Amino acid sequence: MLVQDFLHHSACRFPDKVALVCVGNRLTYAQLENAANHLAHRLQNLGVARGDRVAIHLPNSVEAIVGLFAVLKAGAVFVVINRATKPDKLTFILNNCRATALITDARAINQGLGVRVLAEVNSLRGVIVCGGQGMGAPADDLRFQNFVLNPRTNPVASPCPQTIDLDLACLIYTSGTTGEPKGVMCDHSNVVFITQSIVEYLKNTDRDIVLNVLPLSFSYGLYQLMATLFTGGTLVLEDSFAFPIAVLQKMSQERVTGFAGVPTIYSIILGMDLSVFDLSSLRYLTNAAAGLPVEHVKRLRQLLPKVELYLMHGLTEVARTMYLPPDQTDKRPGSSGVAMPGTELWIEDEQGRRLGPGEVGELVVRGRHVMRGYWDDPQQTGERFRPGPLPGERVCYSGDLFRTDEDGFFYFVSRKDDIIKCRGEKVAPREVENVLYSMPGVQDAAVVGIPDPLLGQAVKAFVVASDSGMTEAAVIAHCKARLEDFMVPQQVEFRRELPKTDNGKIRKLDLH
C-alpha cells in the first residue's frame, strides 16, 4: 500500500461521504480525490517527476491537504513547511531538500516570497499559487501557476502510479540539537505502518469525526489526517487553537469523536467552563509532543469521565513510540505507557547495557516506523540510527531518558540534550541564540527552557550586553521579527557574565 491509497480507497468506498470540513468547505471523498488528481497533473506538467521534493507552504487548509496528496499522486515527496516559517529558514529548507516546486498562497506571493525563492533556490522549477496569483508575481512569468479549488471540476483520473513502498513519501523537518533544520526521511512503508498502528490502538473507524488544530508540518498533526482518511472518517481541520471557544463550538456542532492536543491546549481547556458545550459525542482525547502534567490528567478525567484519554510519546524520527491504554490512566497518570503495536522498546545506559525497572537510560526504538534517516546528513543519521539486534537492521536512539516500573510501563524523565518543547513545538536553543547574537550589543547569549504550567516549557534567554541601555522589550522585539512565535523568549535576564567551563563553553545547567 502507498500513502495516496488512503484517499483513493476511501473515495472508492465512500465517494459521497464528507471527508474534510475546513473554513466553510465540506468536501466529499470523491471531490477531494478529484482535486488532488487535477493538481497532480499540474505538478507533472510543471516538470515534477518521481522522487522530486515538493514543498507545501500553507496554513492548515483544504489546499494543503489537496496539495499533499497531489504530490504523492505525481510520484513525488511532500515537504510540509509551517506557514509561519520566516523566509531565511524557508529558503534554507528548500535548498536543503532541493525542492522542484513550491505550493504556497497569494499572500506569500504578494510579500515577494515567490520571486525570492526562485532567485535563491536553483532547483525550483515553479510555484503553484493557491487561491489566485496575487500581485507579487510577474504576469508573464510561466513559472508561476494558479490553482483555484473547484469541487465541481470534471473528474480526471490519477496519474499512473510509479512509486513503490520503499520510495520516500515525505520529509518532515525538525530542528535537532544543532539548531539547523534536518529533514527526516519517511518512506511509504513507514507512514503506512505508523498509521495502521495508531488506528489499531485508538480503535478508529469510518464513524470517527476527528478535529485537528495541530499544524500538518508537525508529525502529530500529520497523522491526524492520515489515520482519519485511512479509515474513511471525517477530518475537521482548524488552523490553530487560537480561538478556543470557536474550536469547542465546532467540536459540538460537528459531533466530533476524537481530538488531539498538547499540554498548552489542555491547560487552556481546563480553564474554560466545559458545561456550556455539548461534548457528548467525544470518544477520546490524545496528548503527545510533551508530557501532560499529572494534575492536568486528573482534572481532565474528572471533567470528562466518559472520554478515553490516551497519553502518548513520540519523536519525529519514528513518529510514535508508545501509548498509555485508557484503562491505566487513573492508575498511572504519570506514565507514557507501553510500546505501540508492532514496536519494541527498551532502555540502555551509555555502555549499551539494557536496563531494568527503575533504572534511567536512553529509550531505544525498534520497528517498521524507524525512519530512513536525515536527508543528506549521513553523520547525524549515523548518530541517531544505529545497528540493531539483527544484522542489517537499524534502531533509533531517541535521545530521551526513561525508566520503567515493575509492570513494564515507561515513564519519561528528561531529554539527553537541551531541546526545549514550548507549546508542543521543538525549539533548538542554538537557533534562538544565533538570532540573539545578530542583535547589536549582545556579547554573550544562552537559551534554556524553564517549567511553565501553560506552555510546558517557556523559552528564557540570558544575555550579556555591552549596551547597558538594552531592554528586555527590545530583545523580544528583535526575536519576534526573525523567529516563529513559539521560539521567541518569554523572559530575558541580563547578566554581567555567563558561567563557563574551562574550554569556554557556557554551562547551561548553572542557568535557572
Side-chain angles (χ1 to χ4, degrees):
M1 176 179 280
L2 303 176
V3 178
Q4 59 265 35
D5 294 334
F6 296 179
L7 174 59
H8 177 71
H9 290 170
S10 290
C12 292
R13 294 169 60 208
F14 311 110
D16 300 322
K17 181 180 180 179
V18 174
L20 179 62
V21 178
C22 182
V23 195
N25 294 295
R26 305 183 75 85
L27 269 70
T28 66
Y29 271 101
Q31 290 172 329
L32 193 59
E33 165 84 350
N34 192 46
N37 290 343
H38 273 276
L39 184 53
H41 287 288
R42 294 279 296 277
L43 289 169
Q44 288 186 328
N45 291 339
L46 198 60
V48 172
R50 178 181 179 179
D52 283 349
R53 279 71 59 201
V54 177
I56 300 171
H57 180 239
L58 293 168
N60 282 5
S61 58
V62 174
E63 290 82 1
I65 292 178
V66 169
L68 186 155
F69 281 98
V71 171
L72 294 172
K73 286 171 175 284
V77 181
F78 69 83
V79 186
V80 182
I81 302 173
N82 194 309
R83 183 58 179 81
T85 299
K86 301 295 183 182
D88 286 349
K89 186 172 178 179
L90 174 65
T91 302
F92 173 88
I93 293 173
L94 295 177
N95 274 313
N96 181 259
C97 71
R98 299 185 289 280
T100 299
L102 171 67
I103 303 174
T104 190
D105 55 28
R107 181 184 172 196
I109 300 303
N110 291 340
Q111 294 170 341
L113 186 65
V115 172
R116 173 177 172 175
V117 296
L118 282 169
E120 297 182 12
V121 182
N122 293 332
S123 59
L124 272 186
R125 296 181 182 177
V127 178
I128 300 287
V129 186
C130 297
Q133 186 155 314
M135 304 300 293
D140 58 348
D141 193 334
L142 298 180
R143 295 176 298 176
F144 290 90
Q145 295 194 17
N146 294 338
F147 177 73
V148 179
L149 185 70
N150 182 1
R152 297 182 177 84
T153 304
N154 292 331
V156 63
S158 176
C160 293
Q162 299 174 310
T163 49
I164 64 173
D165 68 355
L166 290 179
D167 287 319
L168 292 185
C170 60
L171 297 180
I172 301 178
Y173 272 82
T174 179
S175 287
T177 56
T178 65
E180 288 188 346
K182 303 189 300 296
V184 177
M185 299 185 288
C186 317
D187 67 34
H188 283 263
S189 68
N190 295 143
V191 179
V192 171
F193 170 83
I194 295 161
T195 301
Q196 291 174 332
S197 186
I198 291 170
V199 165
E200 180 179 341
Y201 73 73
L202 291 183
K203 298 171 284 191
N204 287 123
T205 72
D206 56 63
R207 296 184 297 277
D208 275 314
I209 301 170
V210 177
L211 194 156
N212 180 50
V213 299
L214 305 169
L216 296 175
S217 56
F218 181 22
S219 64
Y220 187 18
L222 179 65
Y223 281 99
Q224 305 307 309
L225 165 66
M226 294 301 178
T228 305
L229 296 196
F230 176 81
T231 57
T234 298
L235 183 71
V236 181
L237 185 64
E238 294 289 307
D239 189 34
S240 71
F241 198 68
F243 302 100
I245 292 176
V247 171
L248 290 180
Q249 287 174 338
K250 180 73 72 173
M251 189 181 294
S252 174
Q253 293 165 2
E254 298 293 339
R255 311 298 295 167
V256 165
T257 64
F259 177 77
V262 296
T264 303
I265 289 174
Y266 289 121
S267 294
I268 295 170
I269 288 175
L270 288 171
M272 301 172 67
D273 180 5
L274 298 184
S275 67
V276 302
F277 305 100
D278 179 6
L279 304 180
S280 58
S281 297
L282 194 61
R283 179 174 69 81
Y284 71 89
L285 299 170
T286 66
N287 177 79
L292 196 59
V294 171
E295 287 304 313
H296 289 182
V297 173
K298 293 177 179 178
R299 290 183 60 197
L300 280 171
R301 293 290 296 126
Q302 291 169 355
L303 288 171
L304 300 167
K306 295 182 180 180
V307 178
E308 294 183 323
L309 177 60
Y310 290 84
L311 305 177
M312 308 183 302
H313 171 267
L315 58 153
T316 307
E317 289 82 356
V318 296
R320 300 273 173 85
T321 62
M322 63 186 77
Y323 75 103
L324 184 66
D327 61 5
Q328 296 292 316
T329 305
D330 294 336
K331 183 179 180 181
R332 313 173 201 266
S335 173
S336 298
V338 295
M340 62 190 277
T343 296
E344 183 179 359
L345 306 174
W346 65 87
I347 295 171
E348 282 188 10
D349 63 14
E350 293 184 355
Q351 288 72 45
R353 181 177 64 93
R354 293 200 188 194
L355 303 177
E359 297 181 285
V360 175
E362 184 173 4
L363 179 73
V364 184
V365 186
R366 179 174 182 252
R368 194 63 195 87
H369 57 333
V370 172
M371 303 301 184
R372 297 277 288 275
Y374 298 118
W375 175 265
D376 203 21
D377 195 338
Q379 179 179 346
Q380 292 203 58
T381 294
E383 293 172 1
R384 178 74 73 179
F385 302 92
R386 305 178 203 168
L390 297 180
E393 74 169 353
R394 291 188 305 169
V395 295
C396 177
Y397 282 73
S398 67
D400 288 332
L401 299 177
F402 272 83
R403 63 176 174 84
T404 61
D405 61 21
E406 294 292 338
D407 297 320
F409 285 81
F410 288 80
Y411 293 77
F412 176 79
V413 176
S414 70
R415 289 284 296 168
K416 284 186 68 176
D417 54 36
D418 61 355
I419 285 292
I420 301 166
K421 286 191 175 181
C422 180
R423 288 169 27 191
E425 298 276 4
K426 287 184 178 179
V427 179
R430 184 173 296 184
E431 189 170 358
V432 183
E433 289 160 2
N434 287 339
V435 170
L436 290 171
Y437 279 117
S438 72
M439 183 175 183
V442 172
Q443 289 183 334
D444 256 339
V447 171
V448 301
I450 58 174
D452 185 285
L454 182 63
L455 303 175
Q457 282 185 301
V459 179
K460 182 174 182 178
F462 292 85
V463 172
V464 177
S466 60
D467 178 8
S468 61
M470 186 179 293
T471 64
E472 180 180 36
V475 173
I476 291 174
H478 177 83
C479 293
K480 280 184 176 179
R482 293 161 177 81
L483 294 168
E484 289 96 312
D485 56 358
F486 62 86
M487 302 177 70
V488 176
Q490 280 81 38
Q491 297 180 27
V492 178
E493 182 175 330
F494 293 95
R495 291 195 175 184
R496 292 182 179 179
E497 62 180 8
L498 300 180
K500 295 181 180 179
T501 63
D502 292 338
N503 60 8
K505 291 185 178 180
I506 296 171
R507 291 199 307 265
K508 290 189 177 182
L509 291 177
D510 293 344
L511 297 174
H512 302 283

